[in-house]
Amino acid sequence: MKKICLLILLAMLLLSVGCSKNEPEAEKFPTDNLKIIVPFNPGGAVDVTCRFIAEIAPDYLNGHKIIVENMPGGGAVIGQTFVSKAEPDGYTILAYTSSVVTNPMTKTTTYTHKSFQPVAMYCFDPEVLVVPAGSKFNTLEEFLEYAENNEVSVCTPGHSTSHHIAGMILQNRLGLKFNYIHNEGAAMQVQQLLGGHVDAGLMAFGEAQGQIKDGTLKALGVMHDERRSDFPDVPTFKEKGVDILYGAWRGLAVPKDTPDDVVNTLAEAFKGIINDQRFIEKMTKAGYPIIYRGPDEFTKYVDQSAEDFKAILHLLKKN
């Protein structure tokens, strides 16, 4: 009897081991397509660069695609709110820009920049001051001298965007008279400038370079530490005596409670995409400079940006 019981027990043990070996392993993230929410209109730099990422993504995400979905409105608040409330499973990603920092400090939102986990920064695009081709301003010096005593209209892609902040810093530092015309994106800025409806615009260089190349816009100065090799005739503000470095940063983030292993998987995938020669060629051709930061470094950068913004918040509320 004891032998029979022992044999039965042994058989059950072997059966249990066999079943466990046959059980399928847990599927690795991702197992389905992902989505990047771009909280701006189509055609701007954030939209274009996210589509560059999406084209290459299947090679780094188990063959799964990234779908880019535009969700504009409220100066990016609508799209940012959507992602902040999304399931924190890694499948809904936000095109993460400085507006995530500035919107909660200047508008009523249900989120802050802490509502997101930064995953990867992929671009820093220096600010450029542009005017219509027929503008009376031909140099940065002419523009700044005129704006000291006369009001000039300056278009931005939205209140409290990095472009607006760049104008605020410049205005405050030099005592200039700016009348800001805020809208919903770079495409609208270009229309305003080409139509001669505004005196000037503050834009990311990558967004304005096409019009600068074909001569429909004039670039008076770039807020970078050196001239761009592809636009050697555009001076820096710094060399004209205005020591200002500013620009638009672009990256990707997920809701804050996304599991660490999912964040790490996404971070590795995006690092691979950003360093992929196909992505580099697309970004270079389009004029978007690549700067990579992983989750930890990107988080520190965003936190510092928030502190810097707080320092000028009292000025921004007046404009």
Side-chain angles (χ1 to χ4, degrees), residues 267-286:
E268 283 301 310
F270 287 128
K271 183 177 181 180
I273 293 169
I274 293 164
N275 286 297
D276 189 295
Q277 192 58 39
R278 292 168 295 175
F279 179 75
I280 293 171
E281 288 175 0
K282 289 177 182 292
M283 292 286 282
T284 301
K285 184 176 180 180

PDB file of all heavy atoms in Angstrom, residues 267-286:
ATOM      1  N   ALA A 267      12.807  52.656 -23.074  1.00  0.00           N
ATOM      2  CA  ALA A 267      14.022  53.462 -23.115  1.00  0.00           C
ATOM      3  C   ALA A 267      15.068  52.830 -24.026  1.00  0.00           C
ATOM      4  O   ALA A 267      15.724  53.521 -24.821  1.00  0.00           O
ATOM      5  CB  ALA A 267      14.582  53.649 -21.708  1.00  0.00           C
ATOM      6  N   GLU A 268      15.231  51.521 -23.920  1.00  0.00           N
ATOM      7  CA  GLU A 268      16.202  50.822 -24.773  1.00  0.00           C
ATOM      8  C   GLU A 268      15.782  50.877 -26.233  1.00  0.00           C
ATOM      9  O   GLU A 268      16.616  51.062 -27.130  1.00  0.00           O
ATOM     10  CB  GLU A 268      16.349  49.371 -24.316  1.00  0.00           C
ATOM     11  CG  GLU A 268      17.198  49.196 -23.074  1.00  0.00           C
ATOM     12  CD  GLU A 268      18.611  49.732 -23.264  1.00  0.00           C
ATOM     13  OE1 GLU A 268      19.258  49.378 -24.279  1.00  0.00           O
ATOM     14  OE2 GLU A 268      19.061  50.528 -22.415  1.00  0.00           O
ATOM     15  N   ALA A 269      14.480  50.725 -26.471  1.00  0.00           N
ATOM     16  CA  ALA A 269      13.979  50.773 -27.846  1.00  0.00           C
ATOM     17  C   ALA A 269      14.200  52.149 -28.461  1.00  0.00           C
ATOM     18  O   ALA A 269      14.697  52.279 -29.597  1.00  0.00           O
ATOM     19  CB  ALA A 269      12.495  50.408 -27.866  1.00  0.00           C
ATOM     20  N   PHE A 270      13.859  53.203 -27.708  1.00  0.00           N
ATOM     21  CA  PHE A 270      14.013  54.553 -28.248  1.00  0.00           C
ATOM     22  C   PHE A 270      15.484  54.943 -28.395  1.00  0.00           C
ATOM     23  O   PHE A 270      15.850  55.672 -29.320  1.00  0.00           O
ATOM     24  CB  PHE A 270      13.261  55.559 -27.377  1.00  0.00           C
ATOM     25  CG  PHE A 270      11.773  55.485 -27.530  1.00  0.00           C
ATOM     26  CD1 PHE A 270      10.940  55.367 -26.422  1.00  0.00           C
ATOM     27  CD2 PHE A 270      11.182  55.510 -28.785  1.00  0.00           C
ATOM     28  CE1 PHE A 270       9.565  55.280 -26.568  1.00  0.00           C
ATOM     29  CE2 PHE A 270       9.803  55.424 -28.940  1.00  0.00           C
ATOM     30  CZ  PHE A 270       9.001  55.303 -27.827  1.00  0.00           C
ATOM     31  N   LYS A 271      16.315  54.442 -27.503  1.00  0.00           N
ATOM     32  CA  LYS A 271      17.752  54.693 -27.646  1.00  0.00           C
ATOM     33  C   LYS A 271      18.256  54.094 -28.959  1.00  0.00           C
ATOM     34  O   LYS A 271      19.037  54.719 -29.687  1.00  0.00           O
ATOM     35  CB  LYS A 271      18.509  54.099 -26.465  1.00  0.00           C
ATOM     36  CG  LYS A 271      20.013  54.380 -26.498  1.00  0.00           C
ATOM     37  CD  LYS A 271      20.701  53.816 -25.256  1.00  0.00           C
ATOM     38  CE  LYS A 271      22.196  54.121 -25.276  1.00  0.00           C
ATOM     39  NZ  LYS A 271      22.865  53.572 -24.064  1.00  0.00           N
ATOM     40  N   GLY A 272      17.779  52.885 -29.249  1.00  0.00           N
ATOM     41  CA  GLY A 272      18.168  52.246 -30.500  1.00  0.00           C
ATOM     42  C   GLY A 272      17.676  53.019 -31.713  1.00  0.00           C
ATOM     43  O   GLY A 272      18.411  53.211 -32.692  1.00  0.00           O
ATOM     44  N   ILE A 273      16.427  53.487 -31.645  1.00  0.00           N
ATOM     45  CA  ILE A 273      15.861  54.257 -32.756  1.00  0.00           C
ATOM     46  C   ILE A 273      16.632  55.550 -32.972  1.00  0.00           C
ATOM     47  O   ILE A 273      16.972  55.915 -34.104  1.00  0.00           O
ATOM     48  CB  ILE A 273      14.372  54.560 -32.483  1.00  0.00           C
ATOM     49  CG1 ILE A 273      13.554  53.266 -32.497  1.00  0.00           C
ATOM     50  CG2 ILE A 273      13.817  55.555 -33.504  1.00  0.00           C
ATOM     51  CD1 ILE A 273      12.130  53.423 -31.993  1.00  0.00           C
ATOM     52  N   ILE A 274      16.905  56.246 -31.873  1.00  0.00           N
ATOM     53  CA  ILE A 274      17.574  57.546 -31.957  1.00  0.00           C
ATOM     54  C   ILE A 274      18.994  57.419 -32.508  1.00  0.00           C
ATOM     55  O   ILE A 274      19.500  58.329 -33.171  1.00  0.00           O
ATOM     56  CB  ILE A 274      17.570  58.230 -30.570  1.00  0.00           C
ATOM     57  CG1 ILE A 274      16.130  58.590 -30.178  1.00  0.00           C
ATOM     58  CG2 ILE A 274      18.447  59.478 -30.545  1.00  0.00           C
ATOM     59  CD1 ILE A 274      15.943  58.904 -28.713  1.00  0.00           C
ATOM     60  N   ASN A 275      19.609  56.288 -32.254  1.00  0.00           N
ATOM     61  CA  ASN A 275      20.968  56.062 -32.759  1.00  0.00           C
ATOM     62  C   ASN A 275      20.987  55.328 -34.098  1.00  0.00           C
ATOM     63  O   ASN A 275      22.070  55.062 -34.637  1.00  0.00           O
ATOM     64  CB  ASN A 275      21.784  55.264 -31.729  1.00  0.00           C
ATOM     65  CG  ASN A 275      22.174  56.114 -30.541  1.00  0.00           C
ATOM     66  OD1 ASN A 275      22.899  57.090 -30.661  1.00  0.00           O
ATOM     67  ND2 ASN A 275      21.682  55.756 -29.359  1.00  0.00           N
ATOM     68  N   ASP A 276      19.822  55.011 -34.611  1.00  0.00           N
ATOM     69  CA  ASP A 276      19.723  54.332 -35.897  1.00  0.00           C
ATOM     70  C   ASP A 276      20.094  55.309 -37.020  1.00  0.00           C
ATOM     71  O   ASP A 276      19.623  56.456 -37.044  1.00  0.00           O
ATOM     72  CB  ASP A 276      18.292  53.818 -36.095  1.00  0.00           C
ATOM     73  CG  ASP A 276      18.149  52.914 -37.294  1.00  0.00           C
ATOM     74  OD1 ASP A 276      18.330  53.390 -38.432  1.00  0.00           O
ATOM     75  OD2 ASP A 276      17.848  51.716 -37.102  1.00  0.00           O
ATOM     76  N   GLN A 277      20.915  54.855 -37.943  1.00  0.00           N
ATOM     77  CA  GLN A 277      21.394  55.736 -39.007  1.00  0.00           C
ATOM     78  C   GLN A 277      20.252  56.289 -39.848  1.00  0.00           C
ATOM     79  O   GLN A 277      20.312  57.424 -40.332  1.00  0.00           O
ATOM     80  CB  GLN A 277      22.387  54.985 -39.908  1.00  0.00           C
ATOM     81  CG  GLN A 277      23.159  55.879 -40.864  1.00  0.00           C
ATOM     82  CD  GLN A 277      23.952  56.964 -40.155  1.00  0.00           C
ATOM     83  OE1 GLN A 277      24.528  56.734 -39.092  1.00  0.00           O
ATOM     84  NE2 GLN A 277      23.981  58.160 -40.728  1.00  0.00           N
ATOM     85  N   ARG A 278      19.180  55.525 -40.003  1.00  0.00           N
ATOM     86  CA  ARG A 278      18.039  56.013 -40.781  1.00  0.00           C
ATOM     87  C   ARG A 278      17.379  57.209 -40.097  1.00  0.00           C
ATOM     88  O   ARG A 278      16.999  58.190 -40.761  1.00  0.00           O
ATOM     89  CB  ARG A 278      17.021  54.886 -40.966  1.00  0.00           C
ATOM     90  CG  ARG A 278      17.493  53.745 -41.844  1.00  0.00           C
ATOM     91  CD  ARG A 278      16.556  52.554 -41.747  1.00  0.00           C
ATOM     92  NE  ARG A 278      16.563  51.965 -40.413  1.00  0.00           N
ATOM     93  CZ  ARG A 278      15.754  50.970 -40.036  1.00  0.00           C
ATOM     94  NH1 ARG A 278      14.862  50.474 -40.886  1.00  0.00           N
ATOM     95  NH2 ARG A 278      15.824  50.483 -38.807  1.00  0.00           N
ATOM     96  N   PHE A 279      17.249  57.133 -38.773  1.00  0.00           N
ATOM     97  CA  PHE A 279      16.667  58.248 -38.025  1.00  0.00           C
ATOM     98  C   PHE A 279      17.598  59.460 -38.079  1.00  0.00           C
ATOM     99  O   PHE A 279      17.150  60.597 -38.288  1.00  0.00           O
ATOM    100  CB  PHE A 279      16.442  57.828 -36.572  1.00  0.00           C
ATOM    101  CG  PHE A 279      15.870  58.922 -35.696  1.00  0.00           C
ATOM    102  CD1 PHE A 279      14.542  59.286 -35.800  1.00  0.00           C
ATOM    103  CD2 PHE A 279      16.671  59.579 -34.767  1.00  0.00           C
ATOM    104  CE1 PHE A 279      14.002  60.287 -34.996  1.00  0.00           C
ATOM    105  CE2 PHE A 279      16.150  60.577 -33.955  1.00  0.00           C
ATOM    106  CZ  PHE A 279      14.818  60.934 -34.067  1.00  0.00           C
ATOM    107  N   ILE A 280      18.880  59.217 -37.905  1.00  0.00           N
ATOM    108  CA  ILE A 280      19.867  60.305 -37.941  1.00  0.00           C
ATOM    109  C   ILE A 280      19.823  61.025 -39.285  1.00  0.00           C
ATOM    110  O   ILE A 280      19.851  62.255 -39.348  1.00  0.00           O
ATOM    111  CB  ILE A 280      21.280  59.754 -37.662  1.00  0.00           C
ATOM    112  CG1 ILE A 280      21.378  59.245 -36.218  1.00  0.00           C
ATOM    113  CG2 ILE A 280      22.344  60.822 -37.926  1.00  0.00           C
ATOM    114  CD1 ILE A 280      22.650  58.501 -35.912  1.00  0.00           C
ATOM    115  N   GLU A 281      19.714  60.262 -40.361  1.00  0.00           N
ATOM    116  CA  GLU A 281      19.674  60.871 -41.702  1.00  0.00           C
ATOM    117  C   GLU A 281      18.411  61.707 -41.894  1.00  0.00           C
ATOM    118  O   GLU A 281      18.465  62.806 -42.462  1.00  0.00           O
ATOM    119  CB  GLU A 281      19.752  59.775 -42.766  1.00  0.00           C
ATOM    120  CG  GLU A 281      21.129  59.133 -42.867  1.00  0.00           C
ATOM    121  CD  GLU A 281      21.152  57.961 -43.845  1.00  0.00           C
ATOM    122  OE1 GLU A 281      20.083  57.653 -44.438  1.00  0.00           O
ATOM    123  OE2 GLU A 281      22.234  57.372 -44.009  1.00  0.00           O
ATOM    124  N   LYS A 282      17.278  61.187 -41.413  1.00  0.00           N
ATOM    125  CA  LYS A 282      16.023  61.933 -41.551  1.00  0.00           C
ATOM    126  C   LYS A 282      16.077  63.240 -40.752  1.00  0.00           C
ATOM    127  O   LYS A 282      15.660  64.300 -41.242  1.00  0.00           O
ATOM    128  CB  LYS A 282      14.847  61.079 -41.061  1.00  0.00           C
ATOM    129  CG  LYS A 282      14.492  59.904 -41.960  1.00  0.00           C
ATOM    130  CD  LYS A 282      13.370  59.079 -41.339  1.00  0.00           C
ATOM    131  CE  LYS A 282      13.030  57.871 -42.201  1.00  0.00           C
ATOM    132  NZ  LYS A 282      12.412  58.284 -43.482  1.00  0.00           N
ATOM    133  N   MET A 283      16.572  63.160 -39.523  1.00  0.00           N
ATOM    134  CA  MET A 283      16.648  64.342 -38.668  1.00  0.00           C
ATOM    135  C   MET A 283      17.622  65.360 -39.239  1.00  0.00           C
ATOM    136  O   MET A 283      17.356  66.571 -39.247  1.00  0.00           O
ATOM    137  CB  MET A 283      17.074  63.930 -37.259  1.00  0.00           C
ATOM    138  CG  MET A 283      16.044  63.107 -36.497  1.00  0.00           C
ATOM    139  SD  MET A 283      14.629  64.068 -35.906  1.00  0.00           S
ATOM    140  CE  MET A 283      15.359  64.879 -34.469  1.00  0.00           C
ATOM    141  N   THR A 284      18.755  64.877 -39.727  1.00  0.00           N
ATOM    142  CA  THR A 284      19.766  65.776 -40.287  1.00  0.00           C
ATOM    143  C   THR A 284      19.239  66.480 -41.527  1.00  0.00           C
ATOM    144  O   THR A 284      19.411  67.690 -41.693  1.00  0.00           O
ATOM    145  CB  THR A 284      21.042  64.987 -40.638  1.00  0.00           C
ATOM    146  OG1 THR A 284      21.546  64.360 -39.452  1.00  0.00           O
ATOM    147  CG2 THR A 284      22.112  65.909 -41.214  1.00  0.00           C
ATOM    148  N   LYS A 285      18.593  65.729 -42.386  1.00  0.00           N
ATOM    149  CA  LYS A 285      18.041  66.303 -43.620  1.00  0.00           C
ATOM    150  C   LYS A 285      16.976  67.345 -43.310  1.00  0.00           C
ATOM    151  O   LYS A 285      16.874  68.378 -43.996  1.00  0.00           O
ATOM    152  CB  LYS A 285      17.449  65.195 -44.488  1.00  0.00           C
ATOM    153  CG  LYS A 285      16.945  65.684 -45.841  1.00  0.00           C
ATOM    154  CD  LYS A 285      16.459  64.526 -46.695  1.00  0.00           C
ATOM    155  CE  LYS A 285      15.961  65.020 -48.055  1.00  0.00           C
ATOM    156  NZ  LYS A 285      15.481  63.904 -48.908  1.00  0.00           N
ATOM    157  N   ALA A 286      16.190  67.085 -42.265  1.00  0.00           N
ATOM    158  CA  ALA A 286      15.122  68.018 -41.887  1.00  0.00           C
ATOM    159  C   ALA A 286      15.629  69.179 -41.044  1.00  0.00           C
ATOM    160  O   ALA A 286      14.902  70.143 -40.800  1.00  0.00           O
ATOM    161  CB  ALA A 286      14.029  67.272 -41.125  1.00  0.00           C
TER     162      ALA A 286
END
